[in-house]
Amino acid sequence: MRNLAPGELVYDPFSYRIHEDPYPVFAWMREHAPLYHNAERDFWALSRYEDVLPALRNPGLFSSRNGISLEPDLWGQAAVKTSFFLAMDPPDHGAMRRLLGNTFKPRWVAALEPRIRELTRARLAPARDGGVFDFADFAAAVPNDVMCEVVGIPAADRDRIRADNDLLNHCEDGTDERSGETIGAGLRLAVYYVNLIAQRRRRPGDDLTSMMIEARVGGRPLTDSQLVAFLFLLVSAGNDSTGKLIGNAWYHGWRLPDVGRAGLNGRAPDWGAETLRYDSPSQMTGRTLTEDSVIHGVRLAEGARIALLPASANRDGRVFPEPDTFDLDRDTSRHIAFGHGPHFCLGAALAQLEIAVVLQEVGAVVSDYDLDLSAARRVHSPHQRGFASLPSELTLRPKPSPAV
């Protein structure tokens, strides 16, 4: 790991420099400023595993009531309109999660595997034509296709939905104010979801949107505003991280050829699991301190904004030996890429299946690959780390001979 110059010892989740490589800054914070203060953005950050894990487990002290995003227009009591139950604490949070019943449970997820493979093969088919293949676009498309199908979004609309979700999560370098493009994308998605809900009210289907329309909380149906927030959560937050994780695995498999070869030849689940630990797409989540507290010797007032950094915690050498080494044989069971406690990622089992299936299906077609990093583009988001574009040259396996 490189040494940092004094001017680099700044953690700003809205900085493109941090997006390029946050891990040296995280390492410095863990050792020298485990409670880090960004006075300009008005937040404190926790970077050690021993701090992040208990905070995720304790919504009574580290509340989600103001949302999980530090942007001024996404922070506060109105956060529930866009983040829905991510901006709730127990018991309200649990009541909303329980509406999904058996959806996202292991049996439901396992039943989706054949369809996930079909969708993956359809998106992978252009790779057989040769030429440059944008792996980041492919990796993002598959989980988006899966979730759109689950909620009832037609195939013809899915790429458009994904493009607006990408804009929704984008930030400009050094600013926490959302751009006109980002706001416009949010409005287009809201209008689309309102129309989808109206269609399902008239003609219910066999999809999650129709199920949520019929759901009741305390004997009352969800309002259109709540249903729209549910769709924002499921379609954007529900699949955005998965695509970026698959792209991160691909990048590290190229950077470390032994990893890439092993991943393409049978070790896809290990490849995905260690990427979740080593380079998680979920970098930061916000919380509100509910009472005056002393943390690392500093007295923080009730209402302080706290940034929890699970991606830093997953590189903490106190928990993971040689944390900056990508090791396919590592025990990754303690990683917190999916969070912990009541806000543990609802779609974790689905994400893990999608990651394994996509990398397995790629391994069935591709024997080796090269990246053009000069043409690659990173995602710029205060929360998500990954690639917007990863142009790849693929070495294809021979097609199986037809059975005689």
Side-chain angles (χ1 to χ4, degrees):
M1 180 177 293
R2 67 187 179 89
N3 294 323
L4 293 175
E8 293 182 291
L9 303 180
V10 176
Y11 171 62
D12 179 0
F14 300 95
S15 165
Y16 283 16
R17 180 177 60 82
I18 291 293
H19 301 166
E20 287 298 322
D21 186 5
Y23 296 106
V25 173
F26 289 165
W28 183 89
M29 291 166 66
R30 289 193 301 271
E31 295 307 312
H32 303 288
L35 177 67
Y36 175 87
H37 188 215
N38 186 314
E40 179 184 358
R41 303 284 186 211
D42 185 28
F43 71 85
W44 301 81
L46 293 173
S47 53
R48 290 182 180 174
Y49 190 97
E50 65 183 9
D51 294 321
V52 176
L53 180 65
L56 291 170
R57 286 174 167 168
N58 188 1
L61 182 59
F62 295 90
S63 170
S64 300
R65 67 191 183 196
N66 288 313
I68 60 172
S69 302
L70 298 181
E71 294 94 318
D73 58 346
L74 296 177
W75 181 266
Q77 293 183 350
V80 71
K81 293 181 179 179
T82 52
S83 297
F84 201 40
F85 60 66
L86 294 185
M88 296 178 184
D89 295 322
D92 294 340
H93 170 263
M96 290 300 175
R97 278 179 67 125
R98 284 193 294 273
L99 288 176
L100 293 170
N102 291 322
T103 308
F104 299 106
K105 297 291 178 64
R107 182 176 297 180
W108 179 88
V109 170
L112 279 180
E113 180 174 346
R115 183 57 179 153
I116 294 171
R117 290 193 184 276
E118 289 178 3
L119 291 168
T120 300
R121 290 167 184 168
R123 288 288 186 174
L124 190 57
R128 286 287 190 188
D129 297 334
V132 176
F133 183 74
D134 191 338
F135 192 87
D137 181 72
F138 156 74
V142 174
N144 182 74
D145 286 349
V146 173
M147 189 54 63
C148 284
E149 187 160 288
V150 166
V151 302
I153 294 174
D157 297 338
R158 293 172 190 172
D159 285 341
R160 177 161 57 96
I161 293 294
R162 179 162 58 98
D164 275 339
N165 272 315
D166 287 344
L167 285 173
L168 190 67
N169 295 311
H170 176 79
C171 77
E172 297 299 324
D173 193 10
T175 179
D176 57 9
E177 296 181 1
R178 296 196 297 164
S179 69
E181 279 192 335
T182 297
I183 294 170
L187 290 173
R188 286 192 298 273
L189 287 168
V191 169
Y192 184 93
Y193 295 150
V194 166
N195 289 333
L196 177 65
I197 292 162
Q199 291 170 7
R200 290 302 183 270
R201 286 195 189 280
R202 293 192 301 268
R203 295 186 299 277
D206 183 19
D207 54 58
L208 191 52
T209 301
S210 300
M211 187 186 88
M212 295 309 302
I213 289 171
E214 295 300 317
R216 297 293 183 269
V217 180
R220 297 181 179 180
L222 298 179
T223 65
D224 278 8
S225 178
Q226 289 174 314
L227 289 167
V228 167
F230 226 126
L231 288 167
F232 267 108
L233 173 61
L234 291 171
V235 180
S236 178
N239 63 47
D240 193 45
S241 296
T242 307
K244 290 178 177 56
L245 185 283
I246 296 167
N248 289 350
W250 191 248
Y251 166 72
H252 291 298
W254 168 81
R255 187 178 64 83
L256 303 166
D258 288 346
V259 169
R261 282 191 290 269
L264 291 172
N265 290 282
R267 300 201 62 181
D270 297 326
W271 191 9
E274 175 65 341
T275 306
L276 280 164
R277 199 254 349 145
Y278 182 85
D279 197 7
S280 169
S282 299
Q283 295 274 300
M284 179 272 288
T285 183
R287 295 292 190 270
T288 300
L289 201 63
T290 61
E291 59 185 57
D292 294 358
S293 303
V294 176
I295 302 175
H296 285 288
V298 179
R299 179 169 291 279
L300 301 186
E302 175 186 352
R305 301 201 307 166
I306 311 293
L308 305 179
L309 307 179
S312 172
N314 285 336
R315 290 279 193 109
D316 193 332
R318 300 164 186 82
V319 178
F320 302 100
E322 298 185 42
D324 298 316
T325 298
F326 194 109
D327 183 1
L328 286 176
D329 296 317
R330 184 188 300 276
D331 177 3
T332 60
S333 61
R334 297 183 68 187
H335 81 70
I336 50 175
F338 292 119
H340 213 278
H343 282 279
F344 181 78
C345 177
L346 181 67
L350 176 60
Q352 289 170 306
L353 177 61
E354 289 172 334
I355 292 162
V357 165
V358 170
L359 293 176
Q360 286 166 355
E361 291 296 329
V362 171
V365 173
V366 177
S367 61
D368 199 2
Y369 62 98
D370 195 14
L371 299 184
D372 180 4
L373 279 193
S374 67
R377 290 184 295 109
R378 277 204 172 274
V379 167
H380 291 297
S381 161
H383 304 281
Q384 296 285 319
R385 173 171 164 80
F387 290 90
S389 180
L390 266 179
S392 306
E393 293 186 9
L394 310 179
T395 301
L396 302 180
R397 299 186 189 275
K399 289 185 178 181
S401 301
V404 178

